[in-house]
């Protein structure tokens, strides 16, 4: 079975933290441990212990990921340059035959990926598809630039992270701006799907009114269990389901358990993940709107994930936990990949 992960910050890890997703997780960990031992200092930004590596994607059957272009808030031209560097990185990676990575930009490319993934004689030969997702629209200096990005394969776009010039975001409540409305218009015209993760609630409701295309939450959990503005209320989840959208559960302990502390990590298991997934399924009346959006290596590492997960190779363990909870095989398959595939078959251009 082809598993799909709806959120992985791959390019920003390469460009800002010197990681290389072509290496195995084991190798990346060994290199980073050795580097710390030599320098004797912790890096300024501690990204935690790595969980992403293409060998682990293949071993775990994770054949498709939404690969992000992520830029922290900063000066306008600098954000545009950093965004374009990440776009170039993905295109360069996809041009290296030995990397086995494909950018998935059309329905045909998706169908070919699924076929080749199923036909691979060993896990090592599996292709890994990347669908490009911009997390926060700041690399776009202007909505008119979206046409070029879309031409370069961008298929999913979130308006905000913290606040952007386009909308309110996490920890920064506020409405859509005029620029945000214009950008939604361009997305509609070009067929770029909207990722509402990180969107401030006021902006969220306005965006649903202004945009009739495909809506997802690539990486968001349930506010019912973790009551912060970063997660989604029951009403927001129901609104996404009403648009036949899908929501990826983040596998970071602070997003799974309210009031989590580093000391409490030992007690967090996949039960916490199942609790969020089950809440979405109960609330929406089916297993069609819940998926995985791990956010692995998105500023946290294995120290901050449920006990059963050591790397991206272990995503299938969520299926076993759902099965133990009584979920039918077809529903488990939907949650681990089928729901994201349904969204892409609809949202990608022919
Ligand atoms: Zn994020």
């Amino acid at each position: 079975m082809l598993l799909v992960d709806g959120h992985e910050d791959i390019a920003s890890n390469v460009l800002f933290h010197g990681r290389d997703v072509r290496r195995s997780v084991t190798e990346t960990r060994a290199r980073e441990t050795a580097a710390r031992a030599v320098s004797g200092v912790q890096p300024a930004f501690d990204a935690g212990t790595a969980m992403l590596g293409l060998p682990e994607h293949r071993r775990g059957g994770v054949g498709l990921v939404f690969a992000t272009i992520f830029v922290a808030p900063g000066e306008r031209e600098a954000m545009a340059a950093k965004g374009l560097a990440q776009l170039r990185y993905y295109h360069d990676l996809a041009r290296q035959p030995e990397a086995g990575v494909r950018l998935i930009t059309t329905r045909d490319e998706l169908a070919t990926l699924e076929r080749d993934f199923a036909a691979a004689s060993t896990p090592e030969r599996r292709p890994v598809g990347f669908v490009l997702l911009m997390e926060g629209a700041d690399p776009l200096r202007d909505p008119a630039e979206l046409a070029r990005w879309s031409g370069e394969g961008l298929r999913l776009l979130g308006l905000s992270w913290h606040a952007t010039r386009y909308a309110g975001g996490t920890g920064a409540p506020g409405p859509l701006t005029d620029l945000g409305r214009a950008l939604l218009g361009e997305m509609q015209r070009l067929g770029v799907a909207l990722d509402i993760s990180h969107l401030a609630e006021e902006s969220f409701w306005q965006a649903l009114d202004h945009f009739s295309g495909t809506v997802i939450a690539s990486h968001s959990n349930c506010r019912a269990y973790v009551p912060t503005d970063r997660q989604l209320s029951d009403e927001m989840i129901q609104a996404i389901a009403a648009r036949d959208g899908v929501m990826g559960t983040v596998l970071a302990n602070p997003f799974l358990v309210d009031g989590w502390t580093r000391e409490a990590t030992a007690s967090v298991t996949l039960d916490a993940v199942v609790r969020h997934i089950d809440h979405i399924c109960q609330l929406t009346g089916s297993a069609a709107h819940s998926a995985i959006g791990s956010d692995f290596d998105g500023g946290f590492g294995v120290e901050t994930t449920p006990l059963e997960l050591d790397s991206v190779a272990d995503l299938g363990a969520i299926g076993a936990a759902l099965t133990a909870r009584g979920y039918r095989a077809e529903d488990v398959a939907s949650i681990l990949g089928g729901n994201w595939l349904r969204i892409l078959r609809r949202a990608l251009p022919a």
Side-chain angles (χ1 to χ4, degrees):
M1 186 172 94
L2 187 157
L3 275 57
V4 185
D5 188 355
H7 199 98
E8 296 184 0
D9 294 331
I10 290 171
S12 55
N13 265 282
V14 173
L15 296 174
F16 306 143
H17 306 310
R19 285 181 169 167
D20 185 342
V21 76
R22 294 171 300 182
R23 292 183 189 128
S24 71
V25 166
T26 311
E27 187 183 347
T28 296
R29 289 177 182 177
R31 280 170 170 262
E32 293 182 357
T33 303
R36 280 191 199 117
V38 169
S39 70
V41 294
Q42 292 291 318
F45 173 77
D46 185 359
T49 299
M51 300 184 76
L52 296 181
L54 289 172
E56 283 77 12
H57 285 85
R58 296 195 164 91
R59 180 152 57 83
V62 183
L64 187 63
V65 305
F66 299 175
T68 70
I69 287 140
F70 168 72
V71 170
E75 189 271 323
R76 188 173 118 131
E77 291 300 319
M79 291 191 290
K82 286 177 180 172
L84 285 170
Q86 294 178 51
L87 179 67
R88 273 198 300 277
Y89 164 77
Y90 286 124
H91 280 278
D92 286 346
L93 184 64
R95 272 194 290 271
Q96 302 164 24
E98 67 282 7
V101 167
R102 303 177 189 182
L103 299 189
I104 302 301
T105 65
T106 65
R107 276 176 233 165
D108 277 353
E109 288 168 355
L110 179 62
T112 304
L113 176 82
E114 291 182 70
R115 206 164 48 234
D116 292 349
F117 180 93
S121 54
T122 64
E124 291 74 26
R125 290 171 188 267
R126 289 169 171 161
V128 180
F130 284 10
V131 181
L132 300 187
L133 159 66
M134 189 186 283
E135 178 173 20
D138 270 334
L140 301 172
R141 279 169 293 207
D142 183 271
E145 290 191 342
L146 183 62
R148 178 186 164 196
W149 278 84
S150 165
E152 299 270 357
L154 186 74
R155 293 292 177 266
L156 310 162
L157 174 60
L159 299 186
S160 56
W161 180 63
H162 193 63
T164 63
R165 287 173 291 118
Y166 299 97
T170 299
L176 291 180
T177 63
D178 289 344
L179 219 49
R181 276 178 237 276
L183 182 54
L184 286 174
E186 276 299 276
M187 292 170 67
Q188 186 92 45
R189 188 176 73 81
L190 295 164
V192 174
L194 172 65
D195 178 5
I196 63 80
S197 290
H198 286 290
L199 205 51
E201 186 159 356
E202 185 181 357
S203 291
F204 168 90
W205 292 111
Q206 292 175 335
L208 288 194
D209 281 345
H210 275 84
F211 179 79
S212 62
T214 298
V215 176
I216 66 163
S218 69
H219 64 316
S220 293
N221 289 354
C222 303
R223 206 180 279 177
Y225 294 130
V226 182
T228 72
D229 72 339
R230 175 65 182 81
Q231 319 305 343
L232 303 181
S233 70
D234 288 357
E235 293 73 23
M236 294 163 91
I237 295 168
Q238 283 166 322
I240 291 168
R243 300 279 287 261
D244 195 31
V246 170
M247 163 177 176
T249 294
V250 184
L251 305 176
N253 290 345
F255 285 17
L256 291 166
V257 177
D258 185 30
W260 173 86
T261 60
R262 228 160 233 278
E263 295 68 45
T265 275
S267 65
V268 181
T269 68
L270 288 181
D271 286 350
V273 176
V274 170
R275 196 166 67 131
H276 282 266
I277 292 173
D278 191 57
H279 183 76
I280 299 161
C281 296
Q282 300 300 334
L283 192 64
T284 60
S286 86
H289 306 290
S290 176
I292 304 300
S294 75
D295 206 11
F296 282 162
D297 292 359
F300 62 96
V302 73
E303 302 80 3
T304 315
T305 61
L307 283 177
E308 298 91 333
L309 304 176
D310 182 59
S311 78
V312 71
D314 300 322
L315 286 187
I318 296 167
L322 287 166
T323 303
R325 178 68 178 261
Y327 275 65
R328 296 178 306 169
E330 57 263 46
D331 289 339
V332 172
S334 297
I335 292 163
L336 291 187
N339 289 333
W340 283 137
L341 292 173
R342 179 183 86 246
I343 290 288
L344 292 175
R345 287 186 198 113
R346 185 173 73 217
L348 292 179

